[in-house]
Amino acid sequence: MASHRKSRPTGTRVAGIRTPALATAALTSVALLSQSANAAPEADDKPSLEEVEKKVDDLYRQAESATDKYNAAKEKTAKQRKRVDTLLDDVAQRTQKLNEAREELGSFASAQYRTGAAAPDTATFLLADTPQDYFDQTQLMDRMTGRQKVAVDDYVTQQSETMKKRREATESLATLTDSQDGLRTAKATVQRKLAAARELMSTLTAEEKARLAAIEKEKRAEAARKADELARQQAARQKAQDEAAQQQDSGSSSSGSADSGSSSSTPPADSSYATKADKALAFARAQIGKPYVWGAVGPGSYDCSGLTQAAWKAAGVTLPRTTYDQVNAGTTVPLSQARPGDLVFFYDDVTHVGIYIGNGMMIHAPKPGTYVREESIFYDGESAIHSMVRPA
């Protein structure tokens, strides 16, 4: 018997409502469009050019900070290694003297044995765990000859000093190991930051790199304008000072015209600084064009603090190795009173330094991939300047 039930229409049921096949296709399209819309932001997750630039700059700054830590660890390691070498040489010399003192005591023991002396005190002394143990238990010194006493005194002294130096050497070796670990850690950090910066730059297209170069050019132009403005301010300030000095000299000469003899002009109190600064600047200028290499102190390459240290060393002034030590190696002066030769430090964590040459300009070793060059002290904006320090 045939069924009288009507066939169920094709399609799907949405919220209890039958939908035709066309509606199903439409819903499928909507779902796909929705997924595409949700996926779109993920495809646009690439950072903007400005974000890339900021990230790269931050990585280079972090690398400079790590470089300073590397420089400090390297300096500490070198000093500690020198101390260890000195201590080991001292221990070797004292061990030799101790052996000589022991041989002398041994000769006394042999002589006592050959002659059948009644009190082989020297032999007993040599067999004791320590000289002091023996002295605490016997009256050895009272029964020894004068020569034996001198030999024993020398042996005790040499043994005590040798043991002391051996302990110092052991402790210094442990400190040296720690310094070397710190050196390796700082080196790895620098390499990691620089690799991250290079990798980030490699993601840019040629067009983006060109735009980034244009932005950098604009920043340099703005920095040059600020340098010119500072130069005008400093020139005006110097002119006012010179005029005031001339008026003072004029008044002094008129009031002192009755004095006998010719008076010689007194050189400025800071003329010695100018002389040293000239030498430091001459050295720095001679390094222009040499590559920045982190941890380098010349003569073929430099990092920022390596350059300033070498420049002032040429002027006879010894500066510490790192930027955060150099910033405390002189007198802080206002930017308005900056003079050629002063050190200009950057950023709150004092991770960069250049040597001021006047007119708002400096010579510095900027960062990896660049060369020692003249540049405006406003190269990264006025807010980046931390302080100015006169080192001598």
Side-chain angles (χ1 to χ4, degrees):
M1 182 176 177
S3 173
H4 298 286
R5 288 181 297 176
K6 294 181 180 180
S7 60
R8 180 174 295 177
T10 58
T12 58
R13 184 183 296 271
V14 179
I17 303 176
R18 292 192 184 106
T19 58
L22 186 59
T24 301
L27 287 173
T28 302
S29 298
V30 170
L32 290 173
L33 288 171
S34 177
Q35 291 175 1
S36 299
N38 291 334
E42 295 180 4
D44 294 336
D45 274 350
K46 184 178 179 179
S48 67
L49 191 59
E50 290 74 14
E51 290 173 335
V52 170
E53 181 190 27
K54 183 179 184 305
K55 182 63 176 175
V56 169
D57 287 344
D58 287 345
L59 285 169
Y60 277 130
R61 281 188 55 195
Q62 291 169 24
E64 275 201 303
S65 178
T67 296
D68 259 347
K69 292 178 182 178
Y70 169 84
N71 291 337
K74 185 177 181 181
E75 189 175 43
K76 181 179 179 181
T77 299
K79 290 179 179 179
Q80 202 62 40
R81 183 177 287 112
K82 184 177 181 180
R83 173 169 171 76
V84 167
D85 290 344
T86 300
L87 285 170
L88 290 177
D89 288 344
D90 195 3
V91 167
Q93 293 174 5
R94 291 184 182 280
T95 299
Q96 178 63 30
K97 291 180 180 179
L98 181 63
N99 290 336
E100 292 172 358
R102 185 182 289 113
E103 289 174 2
E104 186 173 4
L105 287 175
S107 67
F108 289 138
S110 298
Q112 288 175 340
Y113 180 79
R114 288 194 303 271
T115 59
D121 295 324
T122 306
T124 305
F125 173 82
L126 288 172
L127 291 174
D129 290 337
T130 67
Q132 192 59 49
D133 289 342
Y134 187 82
F135 291 148
D136 290 342
Q137 300 171 23
T138 68
Q139 303 296 322
L140 175 65
M141 295 301 289
D142 291 338
R143 300 197 299 273
M144 281 186 173
T145 65
R147 187 180 173 191
Q148 286 175 317
K149 290 179 182 180
V150 171
V152 169
D153 284 341
D154 183 50
Y155 178 81
V156 172
T157 299
Q158 294 300 335
Q159 186 185 56
S160 176
E161 289 297 321
T162 302
M163 291 175 65
K164 179 181 177 182
K165 291 299 180 181
R166 282 175 179 167
R167 285 194 298 270
E168 290 181 13
T170 300
E171 293 171 358
S172 293
L173 279 169
T175 303
L176 176 59
T177 300
D178 291 341
S179 299
Q180 290 172 329
D181 289 342
L183 186 64
R184 284 190 290 269
T185 299
K187 182 177 181 179
T189 301
V190 176
Q191 293 173 329
R192 188 169 62 252
K193 298 297 182 182
L194 294 179
R198 287 192 295 268
E199 182 179 356
L200 195 54
M201 287 297 292
S202 69
T203 64
L204 299 179
T205 65
E207 181 183 354
E208 287 172 330
K209 289 180 180 179
R211 285 172 53 200
L212 198 59
I215 292 173
E216 188 66 24
K217 184 177 180 180
E218 185 178 341
K219 286 174 61 177
R220 287 198 297 270
E222 177 60 24
R225 286 194 293 270
K226 284 185 172 292
D228 289 341
E229 181 182 348
L230 177 62
R232 287 193 296 271
Q233 293 173 354
Q234 290 179 335
R237 181 175 178 277
Q238 186 62 50
K239 182 179 179 181
Q241 288 180 338
D242 291 344
E243 290 175 351
Q246 287 176 357
Q247 291 177 357
Q248 184 176 5
D249 289 343
S250 176
S252 299
S253 60
S254 61
S255 62
S257 58
D259 293 341
S260 59
S262 60
S263 60
S264 59
S265 60
T266 303
D270 56 356
S271 61
S272 62
Y273 176 77
T275 301
K276 293 176 182 177
D278 286 344
K279 292 180 181 179
L281 289 173
F283 179 93
R285 287 192 176 94
Q287 312 315 307
I288 291 176
K290 293 184 178 180
Y292 175 105
V293 174
W294 63 273
V297 294
S301 58
Y302 298 89
D303 63 17
C304 64
S305 57
L307 175 64
T308 52
Q309 183 188 50
W312 271 102
K313 183 179 180 181
V317 176
T318 301
L319 292 180
R321 177 65 182 92
T322 64
T323 55
Y324 47 78
D325 285 332
Q326 288 184 8
V327 75
N328 296 315
T331 304
T332 302
V333 295
L335 180 59
S336 61
Q337 298 179 23
R339 295 184 54 193
D342 292 348
L343 301 180
V344 52
F345 294 89
F346 297 87
Y347 312 117
D348 292 339
D349 53 356
V350 198
T351 53
H352 189 66
V353 61
I355 183 167
Y356 190 63
I357 60 177
N359 297 325
M361 302 292 288
M362 67 177 173
I363 297 174
H364 71 146
K367 60 184 178 182
T370 63
Y371 299 85
V372 176
R373 65 192 183 199
E374 289 188 14
E375 193 163 25
S376 167
I377 63 173
F378 302 102
Y379 79 105
D380 203 18
E382 188 171 358
S383 62
I385 299 175
H386 177 273
S387 58
M388 302 286 295
V389 172
R390 192 157 295 160

